[in-house]
Amino acid sequence: MFTETATRPDTTQIIPPRSGAAFTLNAGQTLTVIDPEGGQVADLLAIARADTREMLSSGRTLDYAETIYLSTAHKLYSNRSNVLLEIIEDTVGRHDFLLTPCSEATFRLCYDNEPPHRGCHGNLHAALAPWGIAEDAIPVAFNCFMNVPVDGATGRFKVLPPLSKAGDFIRFRAATDLIIALTACSAPASNGGSFKPIHYRVEG
Amino acid sequence: MFTETATRPDTTQIIPPRSGAAFTLNAGQTLTVIDPEGGQVADLLAIARADTREMLSSGRTLDYAETIYLSTAHKLYSNRSNVLLEIIEDTVGRHDFLLTPCSEATFRLCYDNEPPHRGCHGNLHAALAPWGIAEDAIPVAFNCFMNVPVDGATGRFKVLPPLSKAGDFIRFRAATDLIIALTACSAPASNGGSFKPIHYRVEG
């Protein structure tokens, strides 16, 4: 069993299944995103508090990292090519930075048999409401624990269950003052067919 | 030699090396992006004229296509999950939709020996000035002819010279009224080390 809440009851926060949260993270603080049960994706956005038009950019980050799979020591860049977060610890080593957060349209187009759900896109937008982030401005998120292997020969990819086991985590350090939005992902394929919580902790 | 300008002098437009252009494309019209000399990338953006907050989304498009390599019959989606463009013909079959347009920061971070250049990002922003598109809003472009093979095992990718030969082209049909911004790319690695023009034609 995962015991983080027992050992640090005052600092570990819980995001219930298929929901999201947003909070501030100051320069130098660390954010630990924990998969308490295993096999659960968490979509993460980072936005500069100094100017909320500056936010995480998958395209800049991948360009500078020269890999689609990011892990420890990789930096996550903004649309202005500034570092927002650095990955400082990672017990999983497989995350996605290609795909947009699941949304009502995702469920309409990809999950015919699902009842519509606002998805991570809707959850991120709702959580960011206090900062007035426009829904259209929400970019590709860094999808912690999301497992999207790509066939290099054909380009085709699959969305498989996460490789994360109970208690696995990824830890980031903020390079500047940020707003963080984080979800427990709502898409069946991304999460091995079941919806679980995500835990997180801000320290420093 | 490429003879498009000779045979269709009134419809083929020329984008000089390391520059960009923007123009309107109406629903049902086709846009042909031509590599007249071969080995040259063209970054393409599409923005909905009805509401310029709606624009091309790499993350939505890849999610729905289930491949990172798009070609004939693939649709390019907006951040609102609407189809903006469909690829209706493609003589090359290798384009990139992972990386952001090269920018002043790209040249600063990736090309130490280069003099700074505003890159495709700056050229797209300048070309879009009549429509008031904010620089921060420019997303990952669809990079016609850009050759970015990914190693599926490690995730690492390389930016190699385009596979396009002189006269190769990719043709799109607009699904709605659009603003198109298009460049002749400015980054050495993307273009085999030399900077060439891009031609385009709007028809229908």
Side-chain angles (χ1 to χ4, degrees):
Chain A
M1 272 302 293
F2 176 73
T3 58
E4 289 286 344
T5 48
T7 56
R8 292 186 184 84
D10 55 335
T11 55
T12 298
Q13 307 294 323
I14 296 173
I15 301 177
R18 298 191 110 180
S19 70
F23 49 92
T24 59
L25 186 72
N26 298 331
Q29 285 189 315
T30 64
L31 166 66
T32 308
V33 179
I34 305 147
D35 182 354
E37 299 180 16
Q40 176 62 41
V41 168
D43 286 16
L44 181 150
L45 278 189
I47 301 170
R49 287 223 294 283
D51 183 343
T52 57
R53 294 172 299 185
E54 181 171 16
M55 54 178 69
L56 204 58
S57 167
S58 63
R60 296 250 168 258
T61 301
L62 299 181
D63 202 358
Y64 301 144
E66 299 183 327
T67 176
I68 61 169
Y69 298 139
L70 303 180
S71 187
T72 306
H74 279 120
K75 293 169 179 174
L76 307 189
Y77 286 82
S78 76
N79 51 350
R80 296 181 188 175
S81 293
N82 295 312
V83 177
L84 298 186
L85 291 165
E86 181 176 4
I87 303 173
I88 58 172
E89 206 172 346
D90 177 11
T91 66
V92 179
R94 174 58 60 91
H95 315 280
D96 171 69
F97 209 7
L98 300 181
L99 306 181
T100 32
C102 61
S103 69
E104 186 279 333
T106 312
F107 289 104
R108 184 164 37 84
L109 292 166
C110 307
Y111 294 103
D112 290 342
N113 299 324
E114 281 290 313
H117 187 279
R118 68 180 182 180
C120 287
H121 186 87
N123 285 332
L124 291 166
H125 181 234
L128 288 166
W131 291 277
I133 306 301
E135 187 163 5
D136 288 317
I138 293 174
V140 172
F142 183 78
N143 303 308
C144 305
F145 316 127
M146 189 169 178
N147 182 17
V148 184
V150 174
D151 181 323
T154 65
R156 294 192 63 81
F157 57 77
K158 293 179 178 175
V159 177
L160 297 183
L163 302 178
S164 47
K165 306 297 181 194
D168 271 335
F169 65 88
I170 180 169
R171 181 169 291 138
F172 306 87
R173 183 186 292 120
T176 187
D177 290 345
L178 296 171
I179 304 156
I180 298 288
L182 189 67
T183 70
C185 176
S186 306
S190 308
N191 301 291
S194 67
F195 305 118
K196 300 156 295 277
I198 284 292
H199 290 185
Y200 71 91
R201 207 163 57 231
V202 172
E203 290 165 301
Chain B
M1 274 301 294
F2 176 70
T3 57
E4 288 286 345
T5 48
T7 55
R8 293 185 184 85
D10 55 335
T11 55
T12 297
Q13 307 293 323
I14 296 173
I15 301 177
R18 297 190 113 180
S19 71
F23 49 91
T24 59
L25 185 73
N26 298 331
Q29 284 188 313
T30 64
L31 165 67
T32 307
V33 179
I34 305 148
D35 182 355
E37 300 180 15
Q40 175 62 41
V41 168
D43 286 16
L44 181 150
L45 278 188
I47 301 170
R49 288 222 295 283
D51 183 342
T52 57
R53 294 171 300 185
E54 180 170 16
M55 54 178 69
L56 204 59
S57 167
S58 63
R60 295 250 169 259
T61 301
L62 298 181
D63 202 358
Y64 301 143
E66 299 184 327
T67 176
I68 61 170
Y69 298 139
L70 303 181
S71 187
T72 306
H74 280 120
K75 293 169 180 175
L76 306 189
Y77 286 83
S78 76
N79 51 350
R80 296 181 187 174
S81 293
N82 296 312
V83 177
L84 299 186
L85 291 165
E86 181 177 3
I87 303 173
I88 57 172
E89 205 171 347
D90 176 11
T91 66
V92 178
R94 175 57 62 90
H95 315 279
D96 171 69
F97 209 7
L98 299 181
L99 306 182
T100 33
C102 60
S103 68
E104 186 278 334
T106 312
F107 290 103
R108 183 164 39 82
L109 293 166
C110 306
Y111 294 102
D112 290 342
N113 299 324
E114 280 290 312
H117 187 280
R118 68 181 181 181
C120 286
H121 186 86
N123 285 332
L124 291 165
H125 181 234
L128 287 166
W131 291 278
I133 306 301
E135 187 164 5
D136 287 318
I138 293 175
V140 173
F142 183 78
N143 303 307
C144 306
F145 315 127
M146 189 169 179
N147 182 16
V148 184
V150 174
D151 181 323
T154 66
R156 294 191 64 80
F157 57 78
K158 294 179 179 173
V159 177
L160 298 183
L163 302 179
S164 47
K165 306 299 181 194
D168 271 336
F169 66 88
I170 180 170
R171 181 170 290 139
F172 306 88
R173 182 185 292 121
T176 186
D177 290 344
L178 297 171
I179 303 156
I180 298 288
L182 189 66
T183 70
C185 176
S186 305
S190 308
N191 301 291
S194 67
F195 305 119
K196 301 157 295 281
I198 283 292
H199 291 187
Y200 70 92
R201 207 163 57 231
V202 172
E203 291 165 301

